[in-house]
Amino acid sequence: VPLADEQRYLVANPFAGVRVKGAKAGDTTPSSRAFTEHEWTLIRPIADRLADEGWTTESAARLRFVLDFGYATGLRSGELIRARLGQVSDDEAGNRWIAVVGKGHKTGRVAVPPSARLALDRYLATRGIAVSPAQWSASTPLNAGLDDDVVGLTGSRLWTVLKRFFSQCAADLEPINTALAEKLRRASPHWMRHTHATHALGKGASLTTVRDNLRHASVSTTSVYLHTDEARRARELAGAFGVAHRVKGRVKPGRTARKTNSSRKRLIHK
């Protein structure tokens, strides 16, 4: 009797074609809407030469701040455009934080790491604002409007600015990386949050740390970002489970099985 019949295994999937209520065709995971670390090394330098692409000095400076601050903090677009200097503070240990009101009107604090802090200092300097919190006006927006420093960046304007930048990157990178160019044309401002989470976990931040900074209700929500870098996963597992060989009675990783087998044959002939 064939094993499949004996064990009563199902040859076909009885749930194939069953639609889950609320599911949408073509749904993608957050990992497919994030830039890899390699992709980011190609994208970010383009922001440093926007003056050659017709951007004004002020608009280029703001774009760089949005990229660097958003990438390092993982703020949602709405949180970023509503942020004011009065929400930024330093604790007794000198760590910087920004207080935000997120989804569902939930309040929280987000860490402002050194790279985000530097991005803010540089952007404030271009606007003629002191970098010392003691000299800040609490109502000053983090993202200035280009015509009036009192009027902050709007949601629709942020979308337009980032889409313009992503389109510029796509055009620049098309000759060397068509896949990334296509990805950039699909990108939206929220991809910065996905990219932040992906890279934070990839660089060793714990799930709970990233969860708390993103203000996810559950660590399972954050864990979806763990499956984004298959190349790194393969490399790390190759290192953990490499082929071993013996050296002076010890097993040493990294040698090929062929060499080990040839040594065994020599022992047999002896």
Side-chain angles (χ1 to χ4, degrees):
V1 180
L3 182 61
D5 293 339
E6 182 181 336
Q7 299 297 329
R8 300 295 189 268
Y9 289 156
L10 291 172
V11 177
N13 179 6
F15 299 105
V18 177
R19 297 289 300 274
V20 177
K21 185 177 181 181
K24 297 179 181 179
D27 275 352
T28 56
T29 62
S31 62
S32 68
R33 289 175 276 123
F35 299 113
T36 66
E37 291 183 39
H38 173 66
E39 289 170 342
W40 190 244
T41 64
L42 297 176
I43 295 168
R44 178 56 184 83
I46 297 175
D48 292 326
R49 53 178 187 268
L50 292 179
D52 299 333
E53 307 293 345
W55 293 62
T56 65
T57 301
E58 294 80 7
S59 61
R62 184 176 66 179
L63 184 278
R64 284 190 290 270
F65 170 70
V66 167
L67 287 178
D68 294 340
F69 198 85
Y71 170 73
T73 61
L75 289 179
R76 298 182 178 93
S77 298
E79 296 165 349
L80 185 58
I81 63 177
R82 290 192 300 269
R84 298 292 185 268
L85 288 179
Q87 296 169 230
V88 180
S89 62
D90 298 336
D91 61 23
E92 294 180 355
N95 301 308
R96 179 156 291 185
W97 303 85
I98 181 168
V100 296
V101 178
K103 294 175 67 174
H105 303 289
K106 293 181 179 179
T107 60
R109 288 205 313 167
V110 173
V112 180
S115 61
R117 186 169 183 164
L118 179 60
L120 178 58
D121 287 349
R122 286 175 173 171
Y123 185 45
L124 292 178
T126 66
R127 294 160 59 187
I129 299 175
V131 299
S132 172
Q135 297 176 268
W136 289 347
S137 170
S139 60
T140 300
L142 263 65
N143 292 281
L146 298 184
D147 299 322
D148 187 346
D149 203 38
V150 177
V151 180
L153 189 66
T154 64
S156 60
R157 185 58 183 161
L158 175 64
W159 176 277
T160 301
V161 167
L162 279 178
K163 290 295 285 185
R164 177 189 176 189
F165 174 68
F166 291 148
S167 295
Q168 181 63 57
C169 292
D172 288 0
L173 296 171
E174 181 99 56
I176 62 171
N177 194 326
T178 55
L180 177 55
E182 178 58 31
K183 193 173 181 179
L184 280 157
R185 293 188 180 99
R186 295 186 287 107
S188 72
H190 201 66
W191 283 41
M192 297 303 301
R193 182 171 168 88
H194 295 317
T195 300
H196 161 86
T198 301
H199 293 193
L201 289 168
K203 293 177 180 180
S206 69
L207 268 175
T208 53
T209 292
V210 178
R211 177 203 62 191
D212 293 346
N213 216 52
L214 294 179
R215 286 145 293 125
H216 286 157
S218 169
V219 75
S220 63
T221 305
T222 314
S223 67
V224 299
Y225 296 104
L226 284 173
H227 308 290
T228 57
D229 192 341
E230 293 184 347
R232 183 175 65 249
R233 177 151 49 111
R235 185 172 63 250
E236 291 178 356
L237 288 174
F241 298 98
V243 179
H245 72 102
R246 294 184 177 277
V247 177
K248 294 182 179 179
R250 301 194 312 274
V251 175
K252 182 178 179 181
R255 197 73 169 269
T256 64
R258 183 177 58 83
K259 193 119 182 182
T260 303
N261 290 336
S262 63
S263 299
R264 186 180 298 114
K265 288 178 182 178
R266 286 196 299 271
L267 289 174
I268 292 173
H269 288 303
K270 288 180 181 180

